[in-house]
Amino acid sequence: VQEINQIYLIRHLKFLFFAIVLGFIFLQTFKRTEDQKKAFYIGSIGTITFGIFSIIYNLTGFNVAHDLRLVGPMDGAVSMAFYLTPFAIFSIIEFLENKERKHLINAIALILLILATRSMGAILAIPIIVVIYDTLNKKFIQTKVGKISTIIVALLLLVTVTYTKIITTIQTDYSSLDERGQIWKTTTYMLRKPQNLLLGLGFGQYEEHYRRTVDEALKGVPILDRNNLHANNIFLLFLTQYGILGLTFIILLGVITVKKIIKNPSDPTPFMILYFFIHGLIDSPFFKNDLLILFLIFTLMLTQDQSTQHKDPELLQLRKPTKRRSRPKTKLSSRLQRF
């Protein structure tokens, strides 16, 4: 029988409980699509406010990262990026759909905050999602200016990733890519046991198992991180937490996300979930903190059938077809019908 770290279990159950409750409250409060978009707009403003607070918080000497990335009161710059980026994607898509200045202002502010986190996963995911959105909707990139802008942004991102990640990995003994390589190797080592592969390591037990296994999994290799909190991959995350059922769930969620994007490419919600998949290939912190709330709200919204979403009853009453009153038949009309 595997030992269970009760503190980690309680912490994860706490966030899961509040995520389910708040997700249910959100969907019951904002039943119409337009109401949900208004809620996300308010959420975008709240996220920007939190980002400004985080800058002040770090500049005044609290929770300062060693590499001076924007962290705020959260446990890492990646968590901050996961919190900011879905609302940035929402603001970008809403601006491209409606051309409203308020969404453009929010998008610019959120992108600047994301750049301050220096999270390459988030910085790369945003243009990838915008390109997918634009390809399906033919909004901007198909124009000459759009093509030139896309090439410039792609080159800037390529240079940035090469300089900050690839060259660092080649020239030094430590980089985030080296660290992730060790995490993935240790995780797959733990999953070699049939019991772990089928049932997972236990909800909230990854950190405990990693600490006990990393020396055995990485024999003869300098260990870069002995206390890792998560698997740094969304598929490994669900596999280690819930076993084969968790992996099946996240694969099905990915399929549903793609289908929703193809069916309604102007809806920002599936693109917000898609971000979790893209960035989740190299990071996955949303089981150990309140980011799980966002992930679950987006997931519940995704599973809603747009055709069955509640609509304004007053509008439905106005659109309801009225029955024509039948005119009383006269003797002449009756004779004509018989004729």
Side-chain angles (χ1 to χ4, degrees), residues 9 17 74 81 101 124 129 133 153 157 189 191 198 247 277 285 297 302 318 329 339:
L9 177 62
F17 172 76
M74 303 190 81
R101 186 180 299 177
L124 287 173
I129 289 173
Y133 164 82
V153 171
L157 289 174
Y189 183 85
L191 292 172
L198 292 174
L247 180 62
F277 277 96
I297 287 175
L302 193 71
L318 290 173
K329 294 182 179 180
F339 177 76

PDB file of all heavy atoms in Angstrom, residues 9 17 74 81 101 124 129 133 153 157 189 191 198 247 277 285 297 302 318 329 339:
ATOM      1  N   LEU A   9      -2.658  15.895   0.090  1.00  0.00           N
ATOM      2  CA  LEU A   9      -3.987  15.429  -0.312  1.00  0.00           C
ATOM      3  C   LEU A   9      -5.061  16.456   0.069  1.00  0.00           C
ATOM      4  O   LEU A   9      -5.907  16.814  -0.761  1.00  0.00           O
ATOM      5  CB  LEU A   9      -4.293  14.091   0.353  1.00  0.00           C
ATOM      6  CG  LEU A   9      -5.692  13.513   0.090  1.00  0.00           C
ATOM      7  CD1 LEU A   9      -5.891  13.231  -1.392  1.00  0.00           C
ATOM      8  CD2 LEU A   9      -5.905  12.247   0.912  1.00  0.00           C
ATOM      9  N   PHE A  17     -12.377  21.136  -4.550  1.00  0.00           N
ATOM     10  CA  PHE A  17     -13.724  21.410  -4.024  1.00  0.00           C
ATOM     11  C   PHE A  17     -14.170  22.822  -4.394  1.00  0.00           C
ATOM     12  O   PHE A  17     -15.272  23.024  -4.920  1.00  0.00           O
ATOM     13  CB  PHE A  17     -13.734  21.229  -2.506  1.00  0.00           C
ATOM     14  CG  PHE A  17     -15.023  21.667  -1.853  1.00  0.00           C
ATOM     15  CD1 PHE A  17     -16.163  20.877  -1.933  1.00  0.00           C
ATOM     16  CD2 PHE A  17     -15.084  22.879  -1.173  1.00  0.00           C
ATOM     17  CE1 PHE A  17     -17.348  21.294  -1.341  1.00  0.00           C
ATOM     18  CE2 PHE A  17     -16.265  23.297  -0.579  1.00  0.00           C
ATOM     19  CZ  PHE A  17     -17.397  22.501  -0.655  1.00  0.00           C
ATOM     20  N   MET A  74       2.304  34.920  -6.138  1.00  0.00           N
ATOM     21  CA  MET A  74       2.130  33.527  -6.537  1.00  0.00           C
ATOM     22  C   MET A  74       3.447  32.767  -6.387  1.00  0.00           C
ATOM     23  O   MET A  74       4.508  33.353  -6.124  1.00  0.00           O
ATOM     24  CB  MET A  74       1.595  33.458  -7.968  1.00  0.00           C
ATOM     25  CG  MET A  74       0.292  34.224  -8.149  1.00  0.00           C
ATOM     26  SD  MET A  74      -0.528  33.948  -9.725  1.00  0.00           S
ATOM     27  CE  MET A  74      -1.356  32.392  -9.416  1.00  0.00           C
ATOM     28  N   ALA A  81       1.739  33.521 -15.376  1.00  0.00           N
ATOM     29  CA  ALA A  81       1.444  33.502 -16.812  1.00  0.00           C
ATOM     30  C   ALA A  81       0.180  32.703 -17.113  1.00  0.00           C
ATOM     31  O   ALA A  81      -0.641  33.103 -17.938  1.00  0.00           O
ATOM     32  CB  ALA A  81       2.628  32.915 -17.573  1.00  0.00           C
ATOM     33  N   ARG A 101     -12.459  49.095 -28.671  1.00  0.00           N
ATOM     34  CA  ARG A 101     -11.187  49.582 -28.143  1.00  0.00           C
ATOM     35  C   ARG A 101     -10.894  49.034 -26.746  1.00  0.00           C
ATOM     36  O   ARG A 101      -9.742  48.800 -26.389  1.00  0.00           O
ATOM     37  CB  ARG A 101     -11.194  51.108 -28.111  1.00  0.00           C
ATOM     38  CG  ARG A 101      -9.859  51.732 -27.710  1.00  0.00           C
ATOM     39  CD  ARG A 101      -9.939  53.247 -27.687  1.00  0.00           C
ATOM     40  NE  ARG A 101     -10.273  53.766 -29.006  1.00  0.00           N
ATOM     41  CZ  ARG A 101     -10.462  55.064 -29.252  1.00  0.00           C
ATOM     42  NH1 ARG A 101     -10.394  55.948 -28.247  1.00  0.00           N
ATOM     43  NH2 ARG A 101     -10.740  55.477 -30.470  1.00  0.00           N
ATOM     44  N   LEU A 124       4.813  32.013 -26.424  1.00  0.00           N
ATOM     45  CA  LEU A 124       4.693  31.283 -27.689  1.00  0.00           C
ATOM     46  C   LEU A 124       3.254  30.862 -27.970  1.00  0.00           C
ATOM     47  O   LEU A 124       2.824  30.839 -29.129  1.00  0.00           O
ATOM     48  CB  LEU A 124       5.587  30.043 -27.663  1.00  0.00           C
ATOM     49  CG  LEU A 124       7.098  30.282 -27.781  1.00  0.00           C
ATOM     50  CD1 LEU A 124       7.854  28.979 -27.556  1.00  0.00           C
ATOM     51  CD2 LEU A 124       7.451  30.863 -29.143  1.00  0.00           C
ATOM     52  N   ILE A 129      -2.125  30.538 -31.061  1.00  0.00           N
ATOM     53  CA  ILE A 129      -3.589  30.542 -30.984  1.00  0.00           C
ATOM     54  C   ILE A 129      -4.176  31.604 -31.895  1.00  0.00           C
ATOM     55  O   ILE A 129      -5.191  31.376 -32.569  1.00  0.00           O
ATOM     56  CB  ILE A 129      -4.035  30.747 -29.526  1.00  0.00           C
ATOM     57  CG1 ILE A 129      -3.724  29.489 -28.726  1.00  0.00           C
ATOM     58  CG2 ILE A 129      -5.531  31.079 -29.442  1.00  0.00           C
ATOM     59  CD1 ILE A 129      -3.959  29.606 -27.248  1.00  0.00           C
ATOM     60  N   TYR A 133      -6.788  30.929 -34.886  1.00  0.00           N
ATOM     61  CA  TYR A 133      -8.053  31.667 -34.936  1.00  0.00           C
ATOM     62  C   TYR A 133      -8.199  32.410 -36.264  1.00  0.00           C
ATOM     63  O   TYR A 133      -9.244  32.349 -36.915  1.00  0.00           O
ATOM     64  CB  TYR A 133      -8.125  32.652 -33.770  1.00  0.00           C
ATOM     65  CG  TYR A 133      -9.179  33.719 -33.939  1.00  0.00           C
ATOM     66  CD1 TYR A 133     -10.508  33.479 -33.626  1.00  0.00           C
ATOM     67  CD2 TYR A 133      -8.839  34.977 -34.451  1.00  0.00           C
ATOM     68  CE1 TYR A 133     -11.474  34.449 -33.801  1.00  0.00           C
ATOM     69  CE2 TYR A 133      -9.805  35.954 -34.631  1.00  0.00           C
ATOM     70  CZ  TYR A 133     -11.111  35.692 -34.308  1.00  0.00           C
ATOM     71  OH  TYR A 133     -12.068  36.655 -34.495  1.00  0.00           O
ATOM     72  N   VAL A 153       6.842  38.893 -36.085  1.00  0.00           N
ATOM     73  CA  VAL A 153       6.622  38.323 -34.751  1.00  0.00           C
ATOM     74  C   VAL A 153       7.248  36.933 -34.642  1.00  0.00           C
ATOM     75  O   VAL A 153       7.877  36.600 -33.629  1.00  0.00           O
ATOM     76  CB  VAL A 153       5.109  38.256 -34.439  1.00  0.00           C
ATOM     77  CG1 VAL A 153       4.856  37.466 -33.160  1.00  0.00           C
ATOM     78  CG2 VAL A 153       4.535  39.656 -34.304  1.00  0.00           C
ATOM     79  N   LEU A 157      10.193  35.862 -32.010  1.00  0.00           N
ATOM     80  CA  LEU A 157      10.015  34.751 -31.077  1.00  0.00           C
ATOM     81  C   LEU A 157      11.089  33.686 -31.264  1.00  0.00           C
ATOM     82  O   LEU A 157      11.600  33.126 -30.283  1.00  0.00           O
ATOM     83  CB  LEU A 157       8.628  34.135 -31.264  1.00  0.00           C
ATOM     84  CG  LEU A 157       7.445  34.982 -30.778  1.00  0.00           C
ATOM     85  CD1 LEU A 157       6.135  34.319 -31.170  1.00  0.00           C
ATOM     86  CD2 LEU A 157       7.501  35.177 -29.280  1.00  0.00           C
ATOM     87  N   TYR A 189       9.741   7.142 -15.225  1.00  0.00           N
ATOM     88  CA  TYR A 189      10.320   6.071 -14.413  1.00  0.00           C
ATOM     89  C   TYR A 189       9.323   5.612 -13.352  1.00  0.00           C
ATOM     90  O   TYR A 189       9.163   4.404 -13.102  1.00  0.00           O
ATOM     91  CB  TYR A 189      11.610   6.560 -13.749  1.00  0.00           C
ATOM     92  CG  TYR A 189      12.331   5.513 -12.934  1.00  0.00           C
ATOM     93  CD1 TYR A 189      13.218   4.626 -13.545  1.00  0.00           C
ATOM     94  CD2 TYR A 189      12.126   5.403 -11.552  1.00  0.00           C
ATOM     95  CE1 TYR A 189      13.880   3.658 -12.793  1.00  0.00           C
ATOM     96  CE2 TYR A 189      12.774   4.450 -10.802  1.00  0.00           C
ATOM     97  CZ  TYR A 189      13.649   3.574 -11.433  1.00  0.00           C
ATOM     98  OH  TYR A 189      14.299   2.616 -10.697  1.00  0.00           O
ATOM     99  N   LEU A 191       6.130   5.771 -13.575  1.00  0.00           N
ATOM    100  CA  LEU A 191       4.969   5.163 -14.221  1.00  0.00           C
ATOM    101  C   LEU A 191       5.285   3.797 -14.824  1.00  0.00           C
ATOM    102  O   LEU A 191       4.404   3.192 -15.451  1.00  0.00           O
ATOM    103  CB  LEU A 191       4.446   6.099 -15.317  1.00  0.00           C
ATOM    104  CG  LEU A 191       3.815   7.409 -14.815  1.00  0.00           C
ATOM    105  CD1 LEU A 191       3.507   8.335 -15.986  1.00  0.00           C
ATOM    106  CD2 LEU A 191       2.544   7.134 -14.010  1.00  0.00           C
ATOM    107  N   LEU A 198      -1.880   2.448 -14.196  1.00  0.00           N
ATOM    108  CA  LEU A 198      -3.324   2.248 -14.266  1.00  0.00           C
ATOM    109  C   LEU A 198      -4.088   3.166 -13.321  1.00  0.00           C
ATOM    110  O   LEU A 198      -5.131   3.719 -13.677  1.00  0.00           O
ATOM    111  CB  LEU A 198      -3.667   0.789 -13.963  1.00  0.00           C
ATOM    112  CG  LEU A 198      -3.227  -0.243 -15.005  1.00  0.00           C
ATOM    113  CD1 LEU A 198      -3.507  -1.651 -14.502  1.00  0.00           C
ATOM    114  CD2 LEU A 198      -3.932   0.003 -16.332  1.00  0.00           C
ATOM    115  N   LEU A 247      -5.845  10.206 -17.986  1.00  0.00           N
ATOM    116  CA  LEU A 247      -5.282  10.409 -19.329  1.00  0.00           C
ATOM    117  C   LEU A 247      -6.389  10.356 -20.379  1.00  0.00           C
ATOM    118  O   LEU A 247      -6.399  11.176 -21.317  1.00  0.00           O
ATOM    119  CB  LEU A 247      -4.228   9.338 -19.612  1.00  0.00           C
ATOM    120  CG  LEU A 247      -3.543   9.415 -20.978  1.00  0.00           C
ATOM    121  CD1 LEU A 247      -2.781  10.720 -21.132  1.00  0.00           C
ATOM    122  CD2 LEU A 247      -2.614   8.219 -21.185  1.00  0.00           C
ATOM    123  N   PHE A 277      -3.646  23.486 -23.182  1.00  0.00           N
ATOM    124  CA  PHE A 277      -3.023  22.335 -23.832  1.00  0.00           C
ATOM    125  C   PHE A 277      -1.653  22.701 -24.413  1.00  0.00           C
ATOM    126  O   PHE A 277      -0.702  21.932 -24.294  1.00  0.00           O
ATOM    127  CB  PHE A 277      -3.935  21.796 -24.936  1.00  0.00           C
ATOM    128  CG  PHE A 277      -5.008  20.882 -24.436  1.00  0.00           C
ATOM    129  CD1 PHE A 277      -6.280  21.357 -24.169  1.00  0.00           C
ATOM    130  CD2 PHE A 277      -4.752  19.539 -24.210  1.00  0.00           C
ATOM    131  CE1 PHE A 277      -7.275  20.525 -23.692  1.00  0.00           C
ATOM    132  CE2 PHE A 277      -5.735  18.688 -23.735  1.00  0.00           C
ATOM    133  CZ  PHE A 277      -7.007  19.186 -23.471  1.00  0.00           C
ATOM    134  N   PRO A 285       0.891  23.766 -13.797  1.00  0.00           N
ATOM    135  CA  PRO A 285       0.798  24.016 -12.352  1.00  0.00           C
ATOM    136  C   PRO A 285      -0.618  24.089 -11.809  1.00  0.00           C
ATOM    137  O   PRO A 285      -0.810  24.339 -10.640  1.00  0.00           O
ATOM    138  CB  PRO A 285       1.457  25.395 -12.226  1.00  0.00           C
ATOM    139  CG  PRO A 285       1.069  26.081 -13.483  1.00  0.00           C
ATOM    140  CD  PRO A 285       1.062  25.008 -14.546  1.00  0.00           C
ATOM    141  N   ILE A 297     -13.700  26.011 -14.805  1.00  0.00           N
ATOM    142  CA  ILE A 297     -14.758  26.868 -15.353  1.00  0.00           C
ATOM    143  C   ILE A 297     -14.749  26.807 -16.874  1.00  0.00           C
ATOM    144  O   ILE A 297     -15.790  26.644 -17.518  1.00  0.00           O
ATOM    145  CB  ILE A 297     -14.599  28.320 -14.870  1.00  0.00           C
ATOM    146  CG1 ILE A 297     -15.003  28.438 -13.393  1.00  0.00           C
ATOM    147  CG2 ILE A 297     -15.458  29.275 -15.703  1.00  0.00           C
ATOM    148  CD1 ILE A 297     -14.775  29.799 -12.797  1.00  0.00           C
ATOM    149  N   LEU A 302     -17.016  24.638 -21.855  1.00  0.00           N
ATOM    150  CA  LEU A 302     -16.767  23.950 -23.115  1.00  0.00           C
ATOM    151  C   LEU A 302     -17.749  22.817 -23.347  1.00  0.00           C
ATOM    152  O   LEU A 302     -18.158  22.553 -24.479  1.00  0.00           O
ATOM    153  CB  LEU A 302     -15.332  23.412 -23.129  1.00  0.00           C
ATOM    154  CG  LEU A 302     -14.783  22.929 -24.463  1.00  0.00           C
ATOM    155  CD1 LEU A 302     -14.541  24.107 -25.388  1.00  0.00           C
ATOM    156  CD2 LEU A 302     -13.495  22.160 -24.255  1.00  0.00           C
ATOM    157  N   LEU A 318     -40.408  37.690 -27.529  1.00  0.00           N
ATOM    158  CA  LEU A 318     -40.568  38.551 -28.698  1.00  0.00           C
ATOM    159  C   LEU A 318     -40.435  37.761 -29.987  1.00  0.00           C
ATOM    160  O   LEU A 318     -41.095  38.037 -30.982  1.00  0.00           O
ATOM    161  CB  LEU A 318     -39.519  39.673 -28.664  1.00  0.00           C
ATOM    162  CG  LEU A 318     -39.728  40.754 -27.571  1.00  0.00           C
ATOM    163  CD1 LEU A 318     -38.536  41.691 -27.547  1.00  0.00           C
ATOM    164  CD2 LEU A 318     -41.007  41.538 -27.844  1.00  0.00           C
ATOM    165  N   LYS A 329     -65.661  31.225 -41.343  1.00  0.00           N
ATOM    166  CA  LYS A 329     -65.994  30.881 -42.727  1.00  0.00           C
ATOM    167  C   LYS A 329     -67.386  31.404 -43.092  1.00  0.00           C
ATOM    168  O   LYS A 329     -68.331  31.289 -42.317  1.00  0.00           O
ATOM    169  CB  LYS A 329     -65.961  29.354 -42.927  1.00  0.00           C
ATOM    170  CG  LYS A 329     -64.575  28.768 -42.762  1.00  0.00           C
ATOM    171  CD  LYS A 329     -64.595  27.285 -43.026  1.00  0.00           C
ATOM    172  CE  LYS A 329     -63.211  26.698 -42.894  1.00  0.00           C
ATOM    173  NZ  LYS A 329     -63.229  25.246 -43.154  1.00  0.00           N
ATOM    174  N   PHE A 339     -66.086  23.374 -54.071  1.00  0.00           N
ATOM    175  CA  PHE A 339     -65.902  23.373 -55.508  1.00  0.00           C
ATOM    176  C   PHE A 339     -64.472  22.968 -55.883  1.00  0.00           C
ATOM    177  O   PHE A 339     -64.227  22.195 -56.771  1.00  0.00           O
ATOM    178  CB  PHE A 339     -66.224  24.754 -56.074  1.00  0.00           C
ATOM    179  CG  PHE A 339     -65.994  24.867 -57.532  1.00  0.00           C
ATOM    180  CD1 PHE A 339     -66.901  24.305 -58.451  1.00  0.00           C
ATOM    181  CD2 PHE A 339     -64.891  25.519 -58.026  1.00  0.00           C
ATOM    182  CE1 PHE A 339     -66.679  24.430 -59.796  1.00  0.00           C
ATOM    183  CE2 PHE A 339     -64.677  25.640 -59.392  1.00  0.00           C
ATOM    184  CZ  PHE A 339     -65.567  25.101 -60.277  1.00  0.00           C
TER     185      PHE A 339
END
